[in-house]
Amino acid sequence: MAIQTVNPYTNKVVRSFEEMTDKAVDMLLAQSAKTFNSWKETNYEQRAQILHKVAALMREKKEYLAKIITLEMGKLIAQAEGEILLSADIFDYYATNAAEFLADKELKPEFGSAYIRCSPIGVILGVEPWNFPFYQVARFAAPNLMVGNTVLVKHASMVPQCAIAIEDLFNEAGAPNGLYTNLLISGKRASSLVADKRIKGVSLTGSEEAGASIASEAGKYLKKSVLELGGSDAFIILEDADIDKAVEWAVVGRINNNGECCVASKRFIAVEAIADEFIEKFKEKMSNLVVGDPMNSTTELGPMSSEEAAVHIIDQIRKSVDAGATILLGGTRSDLPGAFVQPTILTDLKPEIPAYYEEIFGPVASFYRVKDEQAAITLTNDSSFGLGCSIFTQDIERGKRIADKIDTGMVFINHPTWTQPDLPFGGTKNSGYGRELSELGIQEFVNKKLIRISGLSDPL
Ligand code: NAP
C-alpha cells in the first residue's frame, strides 16, 4: 500500500511519502534501543513531564491536528477534535497514575520477605490502524513510555501526516531522540521487523489478517504480543427498554466515526414484542442523516476512509443480497464524488449470508428479530468476534445477568460500547487478546520481577 494522503471526500491524492529504507529503519531501531538504556533509568516524574507536555500540546493544537485527521481519513471534524482531547486525556491519565499502577507489590512468603517490581522490557513495536489515528497511538504509547519502554510506531499507510504530527509533538515536548519513533513502512515489513532482537514486544490494532501475521512472527521469535482486532458488536433491545433512547443510541452506535469503529454496534437484535417499533424508528433516523463534507460541522455521516473501503462494503452488501438478505434502507453508493456509502439496513440474515458473520466497517446495520431474551443471547454469541456488546433494558439486574452470559471483552448496559482512559478495552475470540487502557493496559509489556529476601536463619 502506498504511503500517501488521499482525501476520501474527493478521492484526490494530496501528498505522497517515500517509504523508509531498511538502512534508515535499522538506524532508528538502534537509536530506540540506545535511548531505552537511559530512559529506563528515569523516574516516573521525569517520564510524566514529557507525557503531560505532549497532552498540553495536543490541546493547544487541537484544531490543526483534527483537520489532518479529517483530511486523511474522513472523520467528522467535531469527532476529530474529540479524538484529540481524548488522546490528551490518555497521556495525562498514565502520566498521573503510572507510579501507583506500577508500585512494588509486597508478598507474604512463609519465610523472609518478597515483592514484585515492575521493570521495563525494552523497545516495543506498535502497529496501528487509521480509524482513530491519534487515540490508538495514545493507547499504546502512553502506558509503555511510563513503564520505561521506548516505542516504534508503524502507523497505517493512509495516515502519514497524522503519524508525523504525533512524532513532532514528542519532539516539541522535549522527548529524547529515539523515545517515540515513527516508521514509514508497509505492513509486511512491520511483521518481519518482529524478528529483530532489539524489539521485545509487539502490539497491533487492526484486522484479523494483520493480527495473525504479527502474532505468528511474535510466536516464532518468542515475543509478547497484544492484539486488538475487529468486532461485530450486538446491540440487544429487550421489551422493557426505553425504545426512544435505544433508537438514539443505536444510530450513534452504528454511525459514530462514519461507522468505521471496531466497537461500533453492528448487529441490532430486537425481541419480537418491540421489534416493529424499534426498526421503524431506527430506519426513520438512519434515513434522515445528513451525508456530506466531513469538514462541515452540520454533516452527520462522512465518507469511508478510502475508495477501496467503500467498494469493499458495497461488495459485502451485494454478496449478502445475492445470498438472500433484504435491504431495508440504502445499499448503494451516495451520489457524491468521494468514498461515500449510504446509510444501510440489512435484514433476513442467516449464517450462510456473508453479512451474518463478517464485520462490515461502515454505516451498515444488520437487523435481527428474535423470540426472546435467550434467543438474543444465543445470536449474540454466534460470532467469531468477541469485542463489545450493548444491552438495552430498564431492569439493570436483568442486564447484568445477561451480561454474564455474553462472550465479549466488554458489555455496556443502556449504551453502545464506548471508551475512556480508565476503562479497560479489548476482546476475546477473534477480536484479539490483552487489554489497553486503565490499569490493565499498563501491565502488558512489563517484567514483573520477583525479588525474594531470605533470612540467614531460614530453613534450607
Ligand atoms: P489493517 O489493514 O489490519 O491495518 C492495521 C495496521 O496493520 C496498519 O498499520 C497496516 O499497515 C498494518 N498491517 C497490514 N497488514 C499487515 C501485516 N501483514 N503485518 C503487519 N502489519 C500489517 O486494518 P484496517 O482495515 O486498516 O483497520 C480496520 C480493522 O481494525 C477493523 O477490523 C477494526 O475492527 C480493527 N480495529 C480494532 C480495534 C480494537 O481496539 N479492537 C480498534 C480499531 C480498529 P498498512 O496500512 O501499511 O497496510
Side-chain angles (χ1 to χ4, degrees):
M1 184 184 264
I3 300 180
Q4 57 184 16
T5 303
V6 180
N7 181 353
Y9 178 56
T10 58
N11 281 340
K12 297 251 162 59
V13 176
V14 176
R15 205 170 148 192
S16 297
F17 293 79
E18 284 290 316
E19 197 171 333
M20 288 174 174
T21 61
D22 285 343
K23 193 168 165 222
V25 170
D26 187 64
M27 281 167 62
L28 291 170
L29 229 171
Q31 182 60 53
S32 185
K34 189 168 166 221
T35 303
F36 172 66
N37 287 328
S38 48
W39 185 248
K40 71 179 179 190
E41 300 299 337
T42 57
N43 59 35
Y44 291 123
E45 221 172 286
Q46 291 165 318
R47 294 173 197 165
Q49 258 178 21
I50 303 275
L51 268 71
H52 280 313
K53 186 80 192 74
V54 168
L57 287 168
M58 278 182 172
R59 294 191 183 99
E60 197 184 303
K61 295 169 191 273
K62 181 184 75 175
E63 282 85 14
Y64 161 74
L65 297 170
K67 277 190 184 137
I68 306 177
I69 296 181
T70 301
L71 170 75
E72 292 201 302
M73 53 69 69
K75 192 188 303 272
L76 300 185
I77 190 70
Q79 291 181 16
E81 289 183 6
E83 179 178 342
I84 297 297
L85 295 179
L86 173 60
S87 307
D89 288 349
I90 292 170
F91 276 100
D92 277 342
Y93 171 76
Y94 280 111
T96 303
N97 295 299
E100 186 191 325
F101 294 157
L102 300 171
D104 289 349
K105 184 167 186 260
E106 291 295 328
L107 303 176
K108 293 193 178 81
E110 195 180 346
F111 300 104
S113 60
Y115 60 97
I116 293 172
R117 163 72 47 99
C118 290
S119 301
I121 59 174
V123 179
I124 312 295
L125 172 66
V127 183
E128 303 299 333
W130 46 265
N131 64 341
F132 289 90
F134 278 70
Y135 157 78
Q136 295 291 352
V137 170
R139 281 186 353 178
F140 161 70
N144 275 305
L145 295 176
M146 284 309 296
V147 163
N149 296 321
T150 57
V151 298
L152 297 174
V153 175
K154 180 271 176 280
H155 216 321
S157 294
M158 67 169 81
V159 289
Q161 296 194 50
C162 289
I164 291 166
I166 299 170
E167 192 179 47
D168 287 348
L169 290 173
F170 275 89
N171 292 336
E172 200 178 334
N177 186 19
L179 182 69
Y180 178 101
T181 307
N182 183 30
L183 298 180
L184 286 179
I185 57 171
S186 69
K188 274 210 177 74
R189 283 176 70 202
S191 272
S192 52
L193 258 191
V194 175
D196 192 292
K197 281 203 168 78
R198 293 164 292 188
I199 291 179
K200 304 299 182 199
V202 57
S203 173
L204 176 136
T205 298
S207 61
E208 290 166 276
E209 200 186 354
S213 168
I214 283 284
S216 60
E217 288 300 297
K220 190 166 161 198
Y221 294 98
L222 304 177
K223 312 233 169 133
K224 168 83 190 270
S225 62
V226 166
L227 298 181
E228 297 281 5
L229 309 178
S232 190
D233 286 15
F235 184 109
I236 300 172
I237 314 103
L238 297 169
E239 67 284 355
D240 61 356
D242 176 333
I243 300 297
D244 290 335
K245 200 90 208 138
V247 168
E248 276 175 38
W249 278 126
V251 176
V252 174
R254 183 54 284 201
I255 65 144
N256 180 41
N257 207 40
N258 298 330
E260 297 169 313
C261 201
C262 53
V263 288
S265 310
K266 293 172 185 142
R267 296 181 293 146
F268 295 83
I269 302 173
V271 296
E272 193 58 57
I274 46 77
D276 284 338
E277 183 187 355
F278 172 80
I279 192 62
E280 198 181 305
K281 291 179 171 171
F282 180 56
K283 185 177 162 188
E284 165 83 13
K285 280 204 184 299
M286 287 284 279
S287 59
N288 286 329
L289 290 169
V290 179
V291 182
D293 183 352
M295 290 285 183
N296 188 335
S297 63
T298 55
T299 301
E300 293 173 306
L301 181 67
M304 300 299 90
S305 60
S306 67
E307 180 60 16
E308 296 74 48
V311 167
H312 178 60
I313 292 167
I314 295 297
D315 190 51
Q316 286 178 296
I317 295 172
R318 191 184 50 75
K319 286 184 175 142
S320 297
V321 170
D322 287 350
T326 303
I327 295 177
L328 284 183
L329 178 73
T332 57
R333 301 289 298 266
S334 297
D335 191 17
L336 287 162
F340 287 90
V341 172
Q342 284 186 339
T344 296
I345 305 176
L346 298 177
T347 194
D348 296 328
L349 299 165
K350 299 179 188 68
E352 59 277 15
I353 296 175
Y356 185 92
Y357 285 125
E358 287 177 13
E359 177 184 34
I360 305 189
F361 220 54
V364 182
S366 298
F367 175 67
Y368 299 85
R369 184 186 286 272
V370 293
K371 186 163 67 74
D372 55 17
E373 171 189 312
Q374 185 49 50
I377 295 169
T378 305
L379 180 55
T380 296
N381 288 337
D382 187 19
S383 169
S384 58
F385 295 110
L387 198 51
C389 171
S390 306
I391 302 163
F392 279 75
T393 169
Q394 296 193 60
D395 178 347
I396 301 304
E397 288 312 309
R398 183 185 187 193
K400 281 156 70 175
R401 183 171 47 73
I402 296 171
D404 220 27
K405 297 181 179 170
I406 302 290
D407 301 335
T408 59
M410 300 166 278
V411 180
F412 279 63
I413 297 171
N414 293 327
H415 202 283
T417 315
W418 220 248
T419 184
Q420 59 191 55
D422 53 354
L423 295 180
F425 193 105
T428 62
K429 305 200 280 190
N430 286 13
S431 294
Y433 48 78
R435 289 291 179 273
E436 290 191 311
L437 297 177
S438 81
E439 182 171 352
L440 298 187
I442 203 170
Q443 307 287 354
E444 294 286 358
F445 295 102
V446 165
N447 174 15
K448 295 185 185 202
K449 192 190 297 175
L450 167 70
I451 300 181
R452 171 82 160 96
I453 303 111
S454 293
L456 291 176
S457 55
D458 288 353
L460 286 177

